[in-house]
Amino acid sequence: MTALPAPATTPRRSPLSWLNNQPYLLLSLTSLFWAANIVLARHVGSHVPPVTLTTIRWFGVFLILLPFAWPHLKLDWPKLRGALPLMLLLSAVGFAFNNAISYWAMQYTEALNALLIQSAGPLFVALWSLILFGVRLTPAQLAGIAISLAGVLTIILRGDFSALAGISFNRGDIMFGASLVSFGLYSALIPRRPKIHQLSLISFTTCCGALMLLPVAAWEFANGVTLKFDLLTGATLAYVLIFPSTLAYLFFNRGVALIGPNRAAPFFHLVPVFGSAMAILLLGETLAPFHLIGYALVLAGVIIASRQGSAKTSAKREAVNP
């Protein structure tokens, strides 16, 4: 009797391999981690100086990743060296300036203003993509950004759009806006990076970003602005190093590589949504109808702007690395 052939088996994929190819989940988790980071930055401003925090943040991430990144760094070094001006620019706008100025801004602005300004993030990504590479938003992307922005405003203004007239902006708001302009440039440039491993990209740019900030952190320390060593500071550093830094940037870069910056940008709008949800869950605020309306609008806008069909026109002009 002839033996029957063994049935073909489908190789099982690891959870990490599956997650690495889920751009919408990766970008949603990124927004969640960054929302908590904004809330935390506002809470610990008197404990952790902004530039010192940013410097420790990126040196810490570099040291955490280095054992895993070292083989990739050695292999990718010729490409990194060949694209050194771009890599240094990514380090400056995506890690050094962007983070230091946003932490500094939270000492002067209110959470309401920061969340409102945060909602403009996708517009800066689109603007830089247009200026630098001629990449225009498709009608679906533009509609999605507008709808999700309306949802963000609904949540922040508690359903009362007349409250916009009563919002005033101070120097902290301007500083926070500058950080978004900086990160918009990073988001537009990241698809043009050399074809290198994610760990090479993150470890190189975090190290360079921290080195750029080191003189400013030394100046901060020399002027008596120092860390307060207590449990709150330790917990803050632990969270910042792991979630909004190491994981969020790995997730963000991978998400942008998979779907492009303009389709990824609307996920910025999830940051204030998650922020308001944290206030409800952790601070005991009441869930109101405007929250549900805002969440629905944001979700609808993100789906419309990030779906595959919305990028058909711009995909021909965007060179996204795998």
Side-chain angles (χ1 to χ4, degrees):
M1 179 181 290
T2 304
L4 294 175
T9 58
T10 303
R12 296 183 64 182
R13 299 175 65 187
S14 69
L16 287 178
S17 176
W18 175 84
L19 179 62
N20 197 45
N21 290 286
Q22 305 299 318
Y24 306 135
L25 178 57
L26 291 170
L27 292 167
S28 297
L29 289 173
T30 298
S31 296
L32 174 63
F33 298 155
W34 283 343
N37 188 50
I38 291 175
V39 174
L40 189 63
R42 177 65 176 164
H43 183 62
V44 302
S46 61
H47 278 69
V48 189
V51 180
T52 300
L53 174 58
T54 311
T55 306
I56 294 174
R57 175 182 183 178
W58 297 132
F59 266 135
V61 171
F62 171 68
L63 293 175
I64 290 171
L65 294 179
L66 185 58
F68 310 99
W70 183 246
H72 303 290
L73 280 169
K74 290 193 294 183
L75 184 64
D76 291 333
W77 177 244
K79 294 180 180 179
L80 288 167
R81 185 174 55 191
L84 191 59
L86 174 60
M87 298 306 298
L88 292 177
L89 179 59
L90 289 173
S91 302
V93 299
F95 295 88
F97 177 81
N98 163 51
N99 285 269
I101 201 71
S102 63
Y103 281 141
W104 196 5
M106 293 309 297
Q107 296 185 359
Y108 301 102
T109 189
E110 298 297 326
L112 172 63
N113 289 30
L115 290 172
L116 178 59
I117 298 166
Q118 177 77 41
S119 66
L123 303 180
F124 293 122
V125 178
L127 182 61
W128 280 117
S129 296
L130 176 63
I131 292 173
L132 296 176
F133 308 113
V135 177
R136 293 179 173 85
L137 289 171
T138 66
Q141 289 170 345
L142 184 60
I145 289 176
I147 292 170
S148 57
L149 179 59
V152 169
L153 292 176
T154 300
I155 295 168
I156 293 173
L157 302 175
R158 306 179 71 83
D160 180 12
F161 279 79
S162 63
L164 274 173
I167 294 179
S168 60
F169 295 93
N170 57 29
R171 61 174 174 172
D173 303 325
I174 296 172
M175 293 161 65
F176 198 85
S179 75
L180 287 180
V181 173
S182 176
F183 195 75
L185 177 57
Y186 173 85
S187 302
L189 289 173
I190 199 66
R192 271 73 185 180
R193 72 189 190 275
K195 293 183 178 180
I196 57 177
H197 195 275
Q198 268 214 87
L199 291 175
S200 298
L201 173 67
I202 295 293
S203 57
F204 184 87
T205 48
T206 53
C207 181
C208 290
L211 290 173
M212 291 174 183
L213 288 170
L214 197 56
V216 187
W219 172 85
E220 198 174 52
F221 181 82
N223 282 271
V225 185
T226 58
L227 287 168
K228 291 184 178 179
F229 293 97
D230 55 20
L231 183 60
L232 178 59
T233 298
T236 298
L237 293 176
Y239 175 81
V240 166
L241 284 174
I242 296 171
F243 292 98
S245 304
T246 305
L247 294 180
Y249 272 80
L250 285 171
F251 290 178
F252 179 79
N253 288 343
R254 179 60 178 168
V256 171
L258 288 172
I259 66 174
N262 278 345
R263 290 173 63 202
F267 284 84
F268 280 119
H269 286 156
L270 292 178
V271 174
V273 172
F274 285 137
S276 63
M278 288 176 190
I280 293 169
L281 294 174
L282 302 178
L283 303 180
E285 294 189 5
T286 304
L287 181 66
F290 68 82
H291 287 115
L292 300 178
I293 295 171
Y295 295 155
L297 287 171
V298 170
L299 182 59
V302 169
I303 291 173
I304 290 170
S306 60
R307 63 190 176 90
Q308 181 66 35
S310 72
K312 289 181 179 178
T313 303
S314 61
K316 297 179 182 179
R317 291 171 293 192
E318 286 193 51
V320 180
N321 290 328

